[in-house]
Amino acid sequence: MSFGQGGPYGAQGDSGPHTTPWGAPPPQQPGQPGQPQPGQFGPPPGQPAQAAPLPPQQPAAHPGAQPPQAPPLPHPGVLPQPWDRPQAGGTPDWAALADTADRNRRRKWLLIGGGALATAAVAAIVATAVVLSDKGDKNLPAAEKLPSASAGTPEPTFSKAVTPPPNPREFISSQEKDTAPLTVKTLFPHSKPSLDKRVYKRAAQDTATDCASVAQGGLGQVLADNGCRQVLRSTYVRDGVAVTVGVAVFDTKAAADKAKEQSTGNIAPLTGDDAASFCQGTACRLSANAEGRYAYFTIAGFTNGSAVTPDDTKALQAGRDVAGYTFRRIMARANAQAAAAASPKPSGKPSAKPSDSGKNKA
């Protein structure tokens, strides 16, 4: 189909404006250029009418050419907006714009209010569900009863409660419980004990049943008055210092504690090849302690027989080392007897005696 030389919008040279998709003025009548038609916008009263601008010239269509296409129409369903409608003088319709803004604002507040109401409704529903769930469902079935045990089902058995081990100090607090063999060898088995990384050498040992005979300066009388059974002595030397420890054995812990509190004087030094003349009428370091039914005393001085001065530290350290070693040996005796009492004894066999192994360990 051919539209002829003029095309769908009019003949070449037509002074009328092109037709627009919407809101454009209709083509002007021939012979009336620039004059407003009925329904068009015109100039305000009292002002001369202006001629409408001429559309651009269209090239003449040659035979067989396709007619020019009209501008695309808006998407179906999209309505022209107020600002798309031209006003007199080329200004937008401000009243229409204000009305559209009011409608948008009201729609926004309606959406916000609706969302708040929906949130409150959901919260109320959840709270109601929680309250109802707390009340429980009365229609739930009752708990199923388990079948009772038959007469032939064995009952579970439980072993007897384990008795806690006895306190080791109980075995060295009285003669009745402290029954393990007691000699100077079992009490002081190490020939070179390492005391806090300081190695000492054992120089001499002895045992005296006459407690007063191995004590000086009134200590013998204190030992005798409290029922001393025997005194076990051992001497150790290191770096020019010798120490003698004497362990007095009593029947009860109370007697040993009383002897310690009343102690005066000192235990007599036990001399030997490496300590021939220490603490012979010269000042020496003294100490007195008690553990269980044992009271133990130390005397420390120089092997060359010189006196110990108040500011000396070597004799003081040696006395402390040997006193600590004696305490650990007494507690080892207590622990061994407590362990033996707690362990089951095999029938027909005598109980094991405390071991003297590890002679070079404190």
Side-chain angles (χ1 to χ4, degrees), residues 75-251:
H75 192 278
V78 178
L79 299 178
Q81 300 297 324
W83 48 81
D84 294 329
R85 295 194 296 271
Q87 299 293 323
T91 59
D93 189 351
W94 297 112
L97 291 176
D99 184 53
T100 301
D102 290 340
R103 287 197 303 271
N104 292 337
R105 189 180 300 106
R106 287 192 298 270
R107 185 182 299 108
K108 177 180 179 181
W109 284 110
L110 287 174
L111 290 176
I112 295 174
L117 291 176
T119 302
V122 171
I125 293 173
V126 172
T128 304
V130 171
V131 172
L132 292 177
S133 64
D134 289 341
K135 292 181 178 180
D137 191 351
K138 297 181 179 179
N139 297 324
L140 292 177
E144 183 180 358
K145 294 184 179 180
L146 297 177
S148 58
S150 61
T153 304
E155 294 292 333
T157 59
F158 300 94
S159 60
K160 296 181 179 179
V162 178
T163 304
N167 186 354
R169 282 187 166 87
E170 293 180 1
F171 291 89
I172 57 172
S173 296
S174 65
Q175 185 182 16
E176 288 77 12
K177 289 188 176 182
D178 189 9
T179 58
L182 178 61
T183 65
V184 71
K185 295 296 185 180
T186 60
L187 189 60
F188 300 112
H190 309 117
S191 60
K192 291 184 178 180
S194 178
L195 311 179
D196 198 11
K197 299 182 179 180
R198 290 180 286 272
V199 180
Y200 288 78
K201 179 183 177 182
R202 187 176 64 196
Q205 286 183 326
D206 75 349
T207 302
T209 55
D210 185 1
C211 300
S213 64
V214 293
Q216 296 175 347
L219 182 59
Q221 188 63 43
V222 172
L223 298 179
D225 292 345
N226 289 283
C228 176
R229 293 288 183 175
Q230 60 179 337
V231 175
L232 296 83
R233 291 188 300 171
S234 186
T235 299
Y236 301 90
V237 295
R238 177 184 181 272
D239 197 15
V241 177
V243 183
T244 294
V245 57
V247 180
V249 183
F250 299 88
D251 291 343

